[in-house]
Each structure stands twice: as C-alpha cells, then as structure tokens.
Amino acid sequence: MRPILLIIILLAACLPASAQSAHERAARMGLGMNFSYLENWWLGKKEKGYSDLTSAGAAKKKEAEFAKIARAGFKTVRIPINFGAWASLEKPYRWTSPEGLDIAGRFVKAALDAGLIAIVDLHHVEMDRSVKAADSTDRVAWIWKEIASRYKDLDPERVLFEIRNEPHDIEAGAWRKQAEAVIKTIREVAPKHTMVVGFHDWNSRQAMIDSKPFDDGNIIYTFHYYDPFIFTHQGATWAGPGLPDLKQVPFPANGNAIRVPDKARGTWIAERIGNYREDSDAVKMFDDLKAAKTWSEKHKVPIFLGEFGSFGKYAKLADRCRHAEAVYSALGRLNIPSAWWEWDAGFSMYDEGTTKIAPCMQKAIDLFTIADQ
Ligand code: BGC
C-alpha cells in the first residue's frame, strides 16, 4: 500500500465520530417519549440525600413499560435519571447507593430490548438546590465519566448521552464551561456516542437560539417547549406563582377572560395570561419551532425537542389534544424529532381513568407522520 494512502486511512480511523452520525441518528429518532421515574428525587428522603427514591417493586413494574412505549409506535425513549442521588457530594466522589445504578442499567436494557433508541439523561442533578456542590462541574463530570464507562460498549447507534437536563440559575457562560468539561470527559471515554446537549435557562428554545454549538461534531442539540406555559402548567405546584390555582385555561384562547390568581398578580404569569390569545395561536407556535429549526440549519447541526406536553390535572383532554395537535403538526412539517413529557404520570396521554392513549391524542401523534410526508 502506498504510504500516503495508509496515512489517510489511519487519519480517518482516528477521527472522532463524525457530525454525520449525529445527523443520521437524529433523523432516526422520530417520535419519542419521556419515561419519568428515576429522576423523582422527591420520592426519597432528604436525610438520605434522596438516594432511596426508587423502590425495587415499583422499578420492576416500570421496566415492563418500555415494551408498551415501543408498541405504541414510539421510536425513542428519553430516560431521565438522577444519578446524582446515588453519588457522594464530597470529593473523592464515590457511589453511595449503587442499587440505583443497577435499576438504571436495567431500564436502559429494557428500552434496547424493546427496540427503542435510548437517551440516558442526567436529570435534576441539582435536586432541591439545597446543596450547592450537587451540580458542580467536577461532580457532574465525575458522574459522566462513570456513566459513560458503564455504557460505552452499548450500541452508539441506539444509546445517546444527554449531559444535563434544564440547567438553571446558571449564567450562559458558566453553563458553557460546564458543558465543555462534560463533553470532553464523555468524549474521552465514549468516542462514538452522540451527546444530547441543551443550553441554560431550563433548556429554553431562546437560550439555544442565542447560543453557538460546541466544538464536538457528534452532538444533537436539545430544547424544551412548554408554550403556552399557562396552558401546559395550569395546576402545577412547582413551576410558577399562582399556577397551582390556575384552572380551566382552554386551548386555544376562546375569548373568555382568564382570572389571574392572587399569587400571580404582577408576575410573569399574569403577563402570560394577558398575552394568552397570541401565545395560544398555532401559527405563532409554528413560528417558534421554525426559529429553532432555522438555528439548526444555520449551524448545520441536528436538533431534538426533548420535552413538551401538558399537565392533566385541570386541563381538559380535548384542549390538551388540540395543543398536542398544534405541536405535532408543526414538528412534522419542520421534521424535528421530539419526546413527549411524559409516559405514565401527570402529563400522560392516557384517556381519563385508563392506561391507554386517548384517541384524540393518537390523532395528534399521527399528525407528525402525516405532516412529515
Ligand atoms: C421536570 C418534571 C416536570 C416537567 C414539566 C421536567 O423537566 O423534570 O419534574 O414535571 O419538566 O414541568
């Protein structure tokens, strides 16, 4: 063999997994679902650092759900996992509750056995935010070094690493530094796996649009879209002032005034209530998602909508389905892969009182494929 040819072959072999992989993998993700459970730190006890958030019985039952997600037609599952709950807070870091890791491993395996693409998502590493060091760059990087080592032999075509869900209370620049450190750590251990990376401000769409991609070519960029927030989060106790008391917000706006809950007066929630007619317009929502797509095209990087959905506590199913239709049809037209939040808890697509996807939700899901053709 001519030496120059040999050098080219050797150089090609040394190249990191190409940007092409990220594009191809994103193109295969299609319809996805979030499988919440292993991120629920609040199921554990504070004095145990929430490490006891899982129970063996519940985890076993949950494992069976992956096959159901696949049977429902989803191609991808995003698995939010609070790996931080099982690791020490101080250096030298170590796993304090490895049982949680075993359950996480079983979930990933169950997803792969069901034929799904699995996104291993480090979720809520900051937990209740009472311990500042919980989400330090050193700790997050240590967690990823360990997790990537555990999963590095799993098929890179079907296992992706999402470095951190919804970083918040962190400036854009500080997040960028943390993300760069984590990306580098993972890349050293797992050269071929695609990473899923979002930006500060809760993985917001705007934060992504305001940011630049990272140097690593094998990344799918993610953002979350819960607009219009006063519709998707009416009744939510964790998401904003007055939301727990917000009820009967229809989708889209129907001309009736929405009462501003006392606790929401003068806040951003009141502002969103005032803007609800515009915010719930499907054309405006399409334009929002189009702006994300335009960012991806400008930078020639693939994107993935990692979370969207609506809380079912007060929102009526018919309204939730109309909202899902608006988002799914836009995603189909723009060809953006996505994952609905969430499979079998408060944001689920189930018909009331059942564990079956409601027919009007199925109609909304189908719009993704129809619009994509
Ligand atoms: C959080 C969940 C929450 C959902 C909708 C997710 O990122 O982890 O706890 O229910 O967003 O607000």
Side-chain angles (χ1 to χ4, degrees):
M1 189 180 292
R2 295 222 308 269
I4 185 76
L5 200 58
L6 187 66
I7 290 168
I8 291 171
I9 291 172
L10 283 176
L11 276 177
C14 295
L15 277 178
S18 66
Q20 209 179 337
S21 307
H23 281 282
E24 284 168 7
R25 289 170 188 166
R28 283 198 298 269
M29 283 162 74
L31 286 165
M33 180 54 73
N34 275 283
F35 190 65
S36 55
Y37 174 56
L38 285 184
E39 84 288 8
N40 290 348
W41 55 267
W42 54 89
L43 298 178
K45 291 192 198 64
K46 189 172 171 67
E47 59 275 21
K48 292 196 172 171
Y50 307 108
S51 60
D52 55 341
L53 69 97
T54 56
S55 85
K60 187 93 210 116
K61 262 204 201 142
K62 288 271 176 185
E63 248 177 87
E65 296 295 319
F66 290 97
K68 291 190 201 161
I69 294 174
R71 276 204 298 277
F74 295 97
K75 302 279 173 257
T76 297
V77 65
R78 177 173 180 258
I79 314 176
I81 309 175
N82 200 333
F83 289 111
W86 307 315
S88 65
L89 287 161
E90 285 95 35
K91 287 183 187 175
Y93 299 119
R94 64 194 164 85
W95 294 111
T96 47
S97 303
E99 318 81 65
L101 293 180
D102 293 343
I103 296 174
R106 289 212 300 276
F107 275 26
V108 175
K109 183 173 183 307
L112 296 179
D113 288 350
L116 294 161
I117 294 169
I119 301 175
V120 178
D121 154 40
L122 174 63
H123 208 97
H124 288 328
V125 69
E126 68 285 346
M127 286 193 282
D128 62 3
R129 297 219 64 84
S130 63
V131 182
K132 211 167 174 288
D135 60 355
S136 71
T137 297
D138 282 354
R139 187 163 183 267
V140 174
W142 179 85
I143 290 172
W144 268 115
K145 191 170 183 204
E146 291 281 310
I147 298 305
S149 308
R150 279 181 173 243
Y151 294 152
K152 71 178 185 344
D153 295 328
L154 295 179
D155 183 1
E157 295 302 332
R158 295 212 290 141
V159 176
L160 293 84
F161 300 140
E162 181 164 344
I163 69 171
R164 189 170 163 196
N165 176 66
E166 296 187 345
H168 53 279
D169 300 324
I170 182 168
E171 295 294 324
W175 165 245
R176 198 166 182 90
K177 273 199 188 136
Q178 178 167 114
E180 279 166 355
V182 176
I183 291 167
K184 187 167 171 276
T185 303
I186 295 178
R187 192 50 82 222
E188 277 163 16
V189 182
K192 295 206 172 92
H193 284 74
T194 297
M195 285 176 247
V196 176
V197 181
F199 293 91
H200 55 287
D201 194 23
W202 306 87
N203 288 157
S204 76
R205 186 184 62 89
Q206 195 57 48
M208 181 176 86
I209 290 171
D210 293 343
S211 303
K212 288 206 178 73
F214 293 91
D215 277 346
D216 191 292
N218 193 359
I219 291 178
I220 295 171
Y221 290 88
T222 189
F223 66 105
H224 295 176
Y225 188 71
Y226 281 112
D227 286 10
F229 205 75
I230 60 153
F231 172 72
T232 64
H233 280 72
Q234 55 186 304
T237 50
W238 63 91
L243 285 175
D245 304 320
L246 193 62
K247 292 180 188 174
Q248 287 158 353
V249 180
F251 183 90
N254 63 7
N256 297 339
I258 300 167
R259 206 186 85 77
V260 177
D262 292 347
K263 289 196 179 112
R265 285 210 195 121
T267 71
W268 64 277
I269 296 291
E271 203 180 310
R272 298 280 42 105
I273 293 176
N275 262 322
Y276 190 55
R277 173 165 288 284
E278 290 87 338
D279 287 357
S280 63
D281 174 6
V283 175
K284 184 253 175 204
M285 291 167 65
F286 176 83
D287 288 346
D288 284 350
L289 294 166
K290 185 154 188 263
K293 182 73 180 189
T294 302
W295 180 87
S296 90
E297 285 166 351
K298 175 175 153 204
H299 293 290
K300 300 189 174 52
V301 292
I303 53 169
F304 162 67
L305 171 54
E307 284 188 25
F308 72 109
S310 58
F311 189 30
K313 185 172 181 186
Y314 296 141
K316 294 210 173 62
L317 181 62
D319 290 305
R320 297 183 64 219
C321 290
R322 277 193 289 273
H323 169 261
E325 276 183 19
V327 183
Y328 271 124
S329 64
L331 295 174
R333 282 169 65 197
L334 295 163
N335 201 3
I336 301 175
S338 67
W340 176 268
W341 185 274
E342 64 203 305
W343 178 242
D344 62 353
F347 284 57
S348 92
M349 294 179 153
Y350 294 157
D351 222 344
E352 264 163 49
T354 76
T355 53
K356 282 208 168 65
I357 293 181
C360 68
M361 278 292 180
Q362 189 57 54
K363 212 175 119 218
I365 299 170
D366 293 343
L367 287 178
F368 175 82
T369 333
I370 294 165
D372 188 24
Q373 279 159 5

